[in-house]
Amino acid sequence: MGTAEILPGSYFIEFHSDPATRAGEREHAEFVQQARAAGVGMYTRNTFNRLFNGVAIDLPNTRHLERLAGLPAVKRTWPMQMRTRSVAIPSSNVSPNLMFAHQHTGVERAHAELGLDGSGIKVGVIDTGVDYMHPDLGGCWKTPGCPFQYGSDFVGNGYDSVATPHPEPGPDPRDTCDGHGTHVTGIIAAKGLKVRGVAPGVTLGAYRIFGCPGNGTGQAADDVILKALEAAHADRMDVINMSFGGGSGWSEDPLSVAAERLVRDGIVMVASTGNDGANGLYSSGSPGLGVGVINVASFENWKITSLSIDIVGSHRNISIVHSSPGNSKFRFIFETPAEVVAPTDSTGSIEGCAPYDTDHTGQILLIKRGNCTFVDKAERAQEAGAIGVMVYNNEPDLMSPTSVSPNVTISLVVIKADDGQAILSELNYGKVTASATNHTMSVDNPAGGQISQFSSWGPDPELRLSPAVGAPGGNIFSTFPLALGSYTSLSGTSMASPYVTGMVALILQARSKNISVEEVRQLILENAHPIPDRNNTELLSPLRQGSGLANIWDSLASQATVEPSQLSLNYTVISGTTSGSSSTKNKRSVAEAPGVSVRTLTLYNRSPSNFLTCTMTHLPASSVSSYAANGSFTAVPRLWPESAGAKVAPDTLPSAFIESHELPIRIAPGMKQKVSVRITAPVGLSANDRWLYSGYLRFNMLWDDQVGTAQSLHVPYMGFLGNYTQLDVLSPPDEGFPFISMKGSAEALTPDSHVTIDSSHRVSAHYRLEHPTRVLKVQLVDDANATLGFLPYGFLEYMGRNYQSTRGRFSNSTLNGTLYADPDLTQSHEVKPGAYRIRIDALRPLRNPSDPEGYQIWHSSRFIIDSVSLAKNASASTQDDDEDNSDEIFRP
């Protein structure tokens, strides 16, 4: 998965009626007439009536959005988000290491012992297209017997959502310039000697939504993706893979809603959960958060396989693995040995962020990771005459760089930190050379079977558990376009998602498609294997791994299911009982007694002939928090227990047991049994630390057949310790935000500052969201705290939190002289001179937007506007003072 931001001037216009209805068709015609009568000039990008009832438009004059929002046919408007293809994270470049994963996930046994390959199942892949001429993928397009029978190009090679926003589709979705979709498709369906996918017999549909890299932002707009989803729906795919994402992290955006509708129509939807693990909790993205979608976390493969680099020195020779190149157009191939040097730049740094004073023509530069982007490092090296760059990581693992830039024409790869140090040591003895050919090598991955560090965390903002499940996604070898080398290893939740997509195809084949979407989801989730936390003795939180590592053999052999497959306990008040959430939707019961939640689960015995005996074991998992012991926000979640050797009191871990039932539980063939499970929160922890606690209910199943068939099902749960509805959304002022300044200045306005509002002087309110919020209001108020109106784009909905890095990220809204009297921003007026404050209202979690008591409120210092000479529309935007960090936050 990647990230998402807003495409300025482009919008979804949603109508009132459900899609695929006659009323919806009428609304399309009425909207055109109403917009013309209102004098709105617009360009219609796309129309939708299968999964979403509305249109996508460009507005040359964004002020006309006010008129559109007030039209009778319009239910609401949505900003157009742009999605980024997921970027590969760790290493490699050739050899059948996908097979190593198959040994650990039951895929190898399903192929060999059951003969399953996904035949008869239609799988849609919405991605960068596919090089269908690859021999491992059939080498064909829509011919008899060809695996590719469906799909279209929706964009063309030159498409970019910003630089070239109007698609010019090609005749078919062949990808010869990117490779992401070809890699993803190979994980699902390749059938070659080097790569064998999870379900190599499926029928494929390829739906291309991304253009070639280097066109601009490398992003696709949501209306293009929605068009592809509608096409896959029309083609009646059985399962659809979506290895992209981003956005606000809410399940309400148009793509998440469309994915939910596809699930309701009987199509299994699988998506990557995201590669934003470094950003901490609430980093899972849409559309994977759509209700019923299986969003997938990434586990590390057990082997790292790569094209090797052969290092020759005067003291010793070594062969090392490396990452995929930062730009797939420029492979790291040096058949003739080239000299390796590790120079300092003009500032004396070994990080290569400044120009070099020395000439390095024909050399490969060894550079330390850090302090600037990979593009910067490659550009500085290229300017000095270098022919390649090896960046040694500042962490033990490999990671995959991105050095795509029109200015960079040399190859850049990342090597492991230890290998970088080994080369530096060898340079102390004398000359070092490197050669890199098509020779490959495989090494054990010390992190094999563990969660990938890049994999995003849950939960969603409304305390629904995310991700759903995990699969191999780190260091996965698969197919690549023929023009780009035919094979490579990439990493990301983009690689984990198609792995589960292939598993779904095997289940559908085994059941002859006579199975519901929900039961498929149950079989995948409940038969997964949760893993321990490497940092302590408990299991890893389901907020990182979901139900655990998926195992298709156990899923296929399962004779029981549990409903629900995951439990979200909402919040637990430990000082007394609580009446529950005040949310207008998704109400859930909370603690029935201080610190206790009781949930009813239904156990199904799917065996037609044998009784089932069942007991339950509770497995606590790590508790996590976004706040350090001193109360400050931390992007890297704090864990409890803190370490493997730490002694912990029993009441600092959750507990659970089945209550009021004769044990063991006996269930007749084909019957079901309801049980009540009492879960006690870790009441020994402080609610002030804002812990998300979790664990697994392991149901131990034994059938009375002749062989004594046994299996274990796992149901993860999570809850918030304390009153979730009282959480602050805005960062506290002592952390530097919120504050106000003149636009373009980082210096806070002093109280009672005098300002002028004109085309070059405006007041900006800077804020940082430490928690997602359903509603954010940015308003101007007078000395009596009376509201004068909303700032431009001052009523924002479904906001994701800011991704705090070391150097910080924040958002801002700008007072430019125009205010709006209504949340739809349709009634504008000019600010008058006077004394004012900017007020920010952020809705606390699960609170009712219509309840004034549900908001956290911040007031700026007082300032005096002396004059207003020009009002010009300006939108809320995201500012980034960390140019080395390529992650984007949601831009409302």
Side-chain angles (χ1 to χ4, degrees):
M1 183 201 97
T3 55
E5 52 186 306
I6 294 304
L7 180 60
S10 298
Y11 304 92
F12 278 111
I13 308 297
E14 184 178 4
F15 304 146
H16 293 279
S17 300
D18 290 334
T21 62
R22 290 188 176 181
E25 293 175 2
R26 289 195 299 270
E27 286 172 333
H28 278 262
E30 292 167 358
F31 170 74
V32 173
Q33 296 171 355
Q34 293 166 6
R36 186 178 295 119
V40 175
M42 63 183 182
Y43 170 80
T44 301
R45 298 166 58 98
N46 278 301
T47 61
F48 304 98
N49 55 22
R50 292 184 70 93
L51 303 174
F52 177 83
N53 182 27
V55 295
I57 63 167
D58 289 336
L59 279 180
N61 185 347
T62 57
R63 286 180 179 271
H64 286 175
L65 184 64
E66 306 163 16
R67 300 183 191 177
L68 289 180
L71 296 180
V74 175
K75 177 181 179 181
R76 66 168 297 164
T77 63
W78 294 86
M80 182 71 66
Q81 295 187 71
M82 301 179 290
R83 313 282 168 156
T84 303
R85 63 177 67 73
S86 294
V87 177
I89 307 296
S91 129
S92 58
N93 265 328
V94 180
S95 188
N97 77 350
L98 188 57
M99 303 310 178
F100 299 134
H102 290 348
Q103 296 169 15
H104 295 271
T105 57
V107 170
E108 189 174 75
R109 289 188 69 186
H111 289 172
E113 298 181 33
L114 301 179
L116 295 174
D117 64 357
S119 293
I121 307 304
K122 299 195 307 189
V123 177
V125 180
I126 299 178
D127 214 293
T128 65
V130 62
D131 188 353
Y132 52 75
M133 293 307 296
H134 197 296
D136 289 4
L137 298 176
C140 55
W141 177 250
K142 292 186 177 181
T143 56
C146 181
F148 293 98
Q149 292 296 324
Y150 304 91
S152 299
D153 182 358
F154 291 89
V155 290
N157 285 348
Y159 171 75
D160 179 82
S161 60
V162 175
T164 50
H166 300 298
E168 297 182 4
D172 59 59
R174 188 179 184 191
D175 167 27
T176 60
C177 60
D178 187 293
H180 188 274
T182 303
H183 196 275
V184 164
T185 304
I187 294 170
I188 298 169
K191 44 186 172 184
L193 295 177
K194 288 187 173 181
V195 180
R196 183 173 175 81
V198 178
V202 299
T203 300
L204 291 162
Y207 305 88
R208 187 184 186 191
I209 60 171
F210 291 103
C212 291
N215 294 330
T217 64
Q219 297 172 315
D222 273 4
D223 64 323
V224 172
I225 300 172
L226 185 55
K227 205 70 179 175
L229 285 171
E230 290 204 333
H233 181 258
D235 290 337
R236 300 308 302 167
M237 294 293 110
D238 297 306
V239 54
I240 296 173
N241 184 80
M242 302 179 291
S243 287
F244 58 86
S248 62
W250 290 80
S251 62
E252 284 82 358
D253 75 15
L255 285 192
S256 292
V257 171
E260 180 182 346
R261 285 173 175 155
L262 285 161
V263 170
R264 291 203 305 262
D265 278 357
I267 299 175
V268 182
M269 303 298 293
V270 186
S272 52
T273 196
N275 298 341
D276 292 317
N279 291 313
L281 301 175
Y282 306 101
S283 56
S284 293
S286 62
L289 293 176
V291 177
V293 177
I294 303 174
N295 65 332
V296 187
S298 172
F299 281 69
E300 285 295 303
N301 199 358
W302 289 260
K303 291 281 188 180
I304 296 174
T305 302
S306 169
L307 287 172
S308 67
I309 302 174
D310 296 320
I311 304 295
V312 177
S314 58
H315 180 248
R316 64 172 179 152
N317 303 334
I318 58 174
S319 292
I320 63 174
V321 294
H322 65 80
S323 74
S324 54
N327 185 338
S328 57
K329 292 181 180 179
F330 304 105
R331 302 174 64 200
F332 199 85
I333 298 291
F334 298 97
E335 295 184 357
T336 301
E339 185 178 7
V340 177
V341 294
T344 57
D345 61 26
S346 57
T347 68
S349 172
I350 58 175
E351 293 175 334
C353 298
Y356 292 94
D357 294 329
T358 49
D359 179 63
H360 297 289
T361 299
Q363 296 176 331
I364 296 172
L365 300 197
L366 179 66
I367 301 173
K368 185 178 180 180
R369 183 186 173 198
N371 208 37
C372 60
T373 67
F374 292 112
V375 169
D376 291 336
K377 295 178 189 294
E379 286 181 346
R380 301 294 85 78
Q382 183 173 291
E383 290 166 359
I387 57 174
V389 175
M390 294 186 295
V391 178
Y392 61 98
N393 205 358
N394 50 18
E395 298 175 353
D397 297 336
L398 277 174
M399 59 88 61
S400 191
T402 299
S403 59
V404 176
S405 168
N407 301 322
V408 177
T409 57
I410 63 174
S411 183
L412 178 148
V413 295
V414 171
I415 63 176
K416 294 192 296 183
D418 289 347
D419 291 335
Q421 292 298 328
I423 297 172
L424 288 173
S425 296
E426 195 60 33
L427 284 168
N428 292 329
Y429 291 97
K431 184 177 180 179
V432 174
T433 63
S435 59
T437 61
N438 284 321
H439 173 66
T440 64
M441 63 182 294
S442 294
V443 297
D444 288 335
N445 184 355
Q450 296 293 320
I451 198 74
S452 300
Q453 292 304 301
F454 55 77
S455 195
S456 290
W457 290 80
D460 85 350
E462 295 173 302
L463 281 184
R464 284 187 289 254
L465 206 158
S466 174
V469 74
N475 297 294
I476 302 299
F477 171 83
S478 185
T479 47
F480 218 52
L482 299 177
L484 301 178
S486 301
Y487 302 95
T488 195
S489 282
L490 300 176
S491 294
T493 55
S494 276
M495 285 66 247
S497 177
Y499 206 98
V500 170
T501 295
M503 288 181 167
V504 169
L506 298 184
I507 292 174
L508 292 175
Q509 179 192 12
R511 296 291 190 92
S512 301
K513 296 200 286 189
N514 186 25
I515 184 174
S516 69
V517 171
E518 179 56 29
E519 191 176 350
V520 170
R521 193 172 189 273
Q522 289 172 340
L523 291 175
I524 294 286
L525 270 59
E526 293 168 9
N527 290 281
H529 299 181
I531 64 167
D533 192 319
R534 285 190 291 182
N535 299 312
N536 60 51
T537 56
E538 310 307 326
L539 291 180
L540 184 68
S541 170
L543 296 175
R544 197 75 190 278
Q545 66 171 328
S547 295
L549 179 63
N551 187 289
I552 187 61
W553 179 263
D554 290 346
S555 296
L556 292 166
S558 180
Q559 297 187 61
T561 56
V562 182
E563 288 185 2
S565 299
Q566 296 180 318
L567 292 174
S568 296
L569 302 181
N570 202 337
Y571 59 93
T572 304
V573 177
I574 61 176
S575 59
T577 58
T578 179
S579 58
S581 164
S582 58
S583 173
T584 57
K585 60 174 288 186
N586 297 322
K587 287 189 177 181
R588 310 173 190 84
S589 61
V590 291
E592 284 72 12
V596 173
S597 299
V598 177
R599 293 294 182 271
T600 298
L601 295 94
T602 304
L603 311 179
Y604 291 83
N605 180 7
R606 304 291 184 182
S607 171
S609 56
N610 298 297
F611 272 82
L612 166 63
T613 300
C614 177
T615 60
M616 191 195 83
T617 305
H618 175 250
L619 305 172
S622 300
S623 293
V624 297
S625 174
S626 289
Y627 298 88
N630 64 3
S632 62
F633 182 90
T634 174
V636 179
R638 178 185 173 197
L639 300 179
W640 182 264
E642 295 176 337
S643 65
K647 292 184 178 181
V648 297
D651 65 354
T652 63
L653 298 175
S655 61
F657 63 89
I658 294 176
E659 66 170 15
S660 302
H661 204 289
E662 183 178 345
L663 297 176
I665 300 166
R666 290 277 291 170
I667 307 175
M671 302 302 288
K672 62 184 179 180
Q673 176 68 58
K674 291 185 176 182
V675 297
S676 293
V677 177
R678 176 178 289 260
I679 301 171
T680 302
V683 294
L685 296 177
S686 172
N688 294 330
D689 288 336
R690 291 162 279 192
W691 292 104
L692 288 158
Y693 64 93
S694 60
Y696 293 83
L697 309 177
R698 184 173 68 193
F699 291 92
N700 310 298
M701 310 288 194
L702 180 65
W703 282 265
D704 61 357
D705 53 16
Q706 291 183 346
V707 296
T709 301
Q711 73 175 106
S712 295
L713 303 182
H714 293 90
V715 175
Y717 69 85
M718 57 78 56
F720 181 80
L721 186 66
N723 193 335
Y724 193 63
T725 68
Q726 292 299 318
L727 275 185
D728 283 345
V729 172
L730 299 167
S731 63
D734 60 10
E735 293 185 9
F737 295 93
F739 71 94
I740 59 170
S741 73
M742 296 306 295
K743 184 174 176 63
S745 172
E747 185 177 346
L749 284 177
T750 58
D752 291 325
S753 292
H754 287 256
V755 302
T756 296
I757 303 294
D758 57 29
S759 59
S760 57
H761 298 88
R762 302 170 184 176
V763 177
S764 290
H766 311 275
Y767 58 90
R768 192 171 70 191
L769 302 181
E770 292 189 347
H771 193 281
T773 183
R774 166 72 172 76
V775 176
L776 186 83
K777 304 175 186 178
V778 186
Q779 302 169 91
L780 192 68
V781 298
D782 61 19
D783 280 344
N785 199 31
T787 299
L788 280 300
F790 296 97
L791 274 64
Y793 292 85
F795 186 87
L796 306 168
E797 297 183 277
Y798 301 111
M799 294 281 289
R801 73 165 179 82
N802 291 95
Y803 284 168
Q804 287 87 340
S805 64
T806 303
R807 305 178 209 180
R809 285 178 179 269
F810 59 93
S811 300
N812 67 50
S813 289
T814 299
L815 174 62
N816 59 17
T818 300
L819 295 176
Y820 297 88
D822 63 315
D824 291 329
L825 309 181
T826 62
Q827 303 168 27
S828 62
H829 61 276
E830 188 174 290
V831 178
K832 304 299 182 184
Y836 302 105
R837 288 180 172 85
I838 290 178
R839 168 176 156 167
I840 299 177
D841 297 45
L843 187 67
R844 298 183 192 274
L846 301 181
R847 299 299 290 267
N848 190 327
S850 64
D851 179 8
E853 300 298 321
Y855 290 83
Q856 179 190 2
I857 298 174
W858 172 83
H859 288 89
S860 75
S861 59
R862 186 173 183 261
F863 60 95
I864 295 119
I865 298 178
D866 293 325
S867 65
V868 180
S869 59
L870 179 67
K872 189 175 181 181
N873 199 18
S875 66
S877 66
T878 298
Q879 290 200 1
D880 180 2
D881 61 357
D882 181 3
E883 295 181 357
D884 189 33
N885 191 325
S886 62
D887 292 325
E888 294 290 343
I889 66 167
F890 176 60
R891 299 186 177 186

